[in-house]
Amino acid sequence: MASPPFSVIFGHQNLTFSWSLLLFLLPPLILSPSLVFASPCRNSCGNIPIKYPFGIDDGCGAPQFRRMFNCSNDLFFLTPSGSYKVQSIDYDKQSMVIYDPAMSTCSILQPHHDFIMTDIQSIIIPPSPDTVFALLNCSIDSPILNHYKYLCFNFSGHSCDELYGSCNAFRVFHLLANSTSPPCCFTGYDTVKMMSMNILDCTHYTTVLNTENLKGVGALDWEYGMKLSFSVADLGCDRCSKSGGNCGFDTETEGLLCLCSVSSNHTRDCVGGNIPNGGPNQASVLFIGEFLFLLLAILHLNFKSLTYY
Ligand SMILES: *[C@@H]1O[C@H](CO)[C@@H](O)[C@H](O)[C@H]1NC(C)=O
Ligand SMILES: *[C@@H]1O[C@H](CO)[C@@H](O)[C@H](O)[C@H]1NC(C)=O
Ligand SMILES: *[C@@H]1O[C@H](CO)[C@@H](O)[C@H](O)[C@H]1NC(C)=O
Ligand SMILES: *[C@@H]1O[C@H](CO)[C@@H](O)[C@H](O)[C@H]1NC(C)=O
Ligand SMILES: *[C@@H]1O[C@H](CO)[C@@H](O)[C@H](O)[C@H]1NC(C)=O
């Protein structure tokens, strides 16, 4: 459709006019691909790659994970109980390792605090089963030593005494209790989710990850932190990302979008061709198409006005 008006113009005497017009119109056409494909979503934070279902810019990623991350130099996972530094994300295994700098570990004892997630977080990104919570310095009246005793499990044969004995940070519990160690409990996230530390009546906790092979491994060599396992609903994101887009959502309606550029959002993908009911309606075609239309309209008008003279 581009050829007839061009040939008309080139066939016309006024070549200087058409060249200047082309020079004026070409730069936007040349620039447009970079505009079209500039991503509206940051794809990393520090050294952590950010991919679906996560996003750090609002509107990027899956809406379920909205406002759960903050990128200020490092990536932080936000929950009602604090900001947890993200150590790594394994997108294939759908797991994320976080570290709570305010948590007690074998080498540092820190003040009492809870680990709290929102209801949504505890469903879509809960601590994985191989993350063990060790509740420490529990009172003998603690529910987990009485009615809820069954919530504590045998953690590869490890004992409270071992923990209190081998960790500098926990030795203090041993001393204060006048030779008998205060009880502790190895348990899972569900226990902590059900009861706050106050109800559990334990003053401290620590969390250990990758706990599958810790039989016979001393507490000094455990890996402290939490592994969260996330689930991703398959909402056709593959198709959007394969077409060069970022899966995201409308920040007002949270309706799913394929973010193709700063200036265009689409419902499914950025490439035409395989949209079953839409045809090739992608960003670049629209954008360049608009310019061609404008170009043709101007040329046509000018051609008309020229023929009058
Ligand atoms: C993200 O971190 C920055 C810098 O630490 C802070 O100013 C900002 O309030 C944080 N945002 C959220 C949502 O926590
Ligand atoms: C251990 O728990 C007791 C109460 O059960 C508390 O008085 C004591 O301060 C705790 N120890 C530490 C080191 O916090
Ligand atoms: C805990 O499990 C270990 C094996 O991992 C076993 O040897 C030990 O006897 C168990 N302890 C208790 C109190 O059941
Ligand atoms: C410590 O234990 C000894 C004997 O085991 C006992 O006589 C003493 O009263 C205990 N002290 C406290 C503070 O429990
Ligand atoms: C595309 O979607 C993002 C995220 O919802 C939004 O910030 C942006 O304004 C949208 N752009 C257009 C052109 O609609």
Side-chain angles (χ1 to χ4, degrees), residues 71-246:
C71 178
S72 43
N73 296 324
D74 289 316
L75 183 65
F76 289 91
F77 178 66
L78 312 174
T79 84
S81 57
S83 305
Y84 300 84
K85 189 171 179 295
V86 176
Q87 310 277 75
S88 62
I89 303 178
D90 186 329
Y91 289 93
D92 293 327
K93 292 185 179 149
Q94 304 197 342
S95 66
M96 178 168 94
V97 174
I98 60 171
Y99 184 75
D100 176 4
M103 181 181 79
S104 301
T105 67
C106 199
S107 46
I108 182 167
L109 187 72
Q110 306 211 66
H112 164 111
H113 79 303
D114 275 299
F115 176 70
I116 303 169
M117 288 184 138
T118 63
D119 291 342
I120 293 171
Q121 285 174 334
S122 61
I123 293 168
I124 63 174
I125 185 164
S128 65
D130 70 344
T131 293
V132 168
F133 283 70
L135 308 176
L136 305 169
N137 195 29
C138 301
S139 95
I140 48 167
D141 299 325
S142 166
I144 44 162
L145 290 161
N146 299 284
H147 194 64
Y148 292 99
K149 210 180 167 98
Y150 67 93
L151 292 173
C152 302
F153 49 70
N154 181 350
F155 173 34
S156 305
H158 297 292
S159 71
C160 298
D161 269 341
E162 181 192 342
L163 216 59
Y164 296 142
S166 60
C167 293
N168 278 332
F170 304 142
R171 213 158 275 158
V172 61
F173 300 134
H174 214 44
L175 299 175
L176 288 180
N178 193 15
S179 86
T180 45
S181 335
C184 81
C185 166
F186 296 107
T187 188
Y189 168 62
D190 284 346
T191 304
V192 178
K193 182 181 153 193
M194 188 163 65
M195 295 178 270
S196 73
M197 294 295 285
N198 277 336
I199 294 173
L200 289 166
D201 214 355
C202 305
T203 60
H204 294 77
Y205 76 88
T206 189
T207 57
V208 184
L209 57 96
N210 294 335
T211 53
E212 260 138 31
N213 297 306
L214 291 184
K215 192 170 176 180
V217 178
L220 273 172
D221 297 322
W222 296 350
E223 209 178 325
Y224 295 88
M226 230 179 261
K227 193 195 277 176
L228 310 179
S229 55
F230 55 91
S231 44
V232 188
D234 182 16
L235 300 169
C237 180
D238 259 12
R239 183 167 158 179
C240 170
S241 45
K242 275 187 188 129
S243 72
N246 280 281

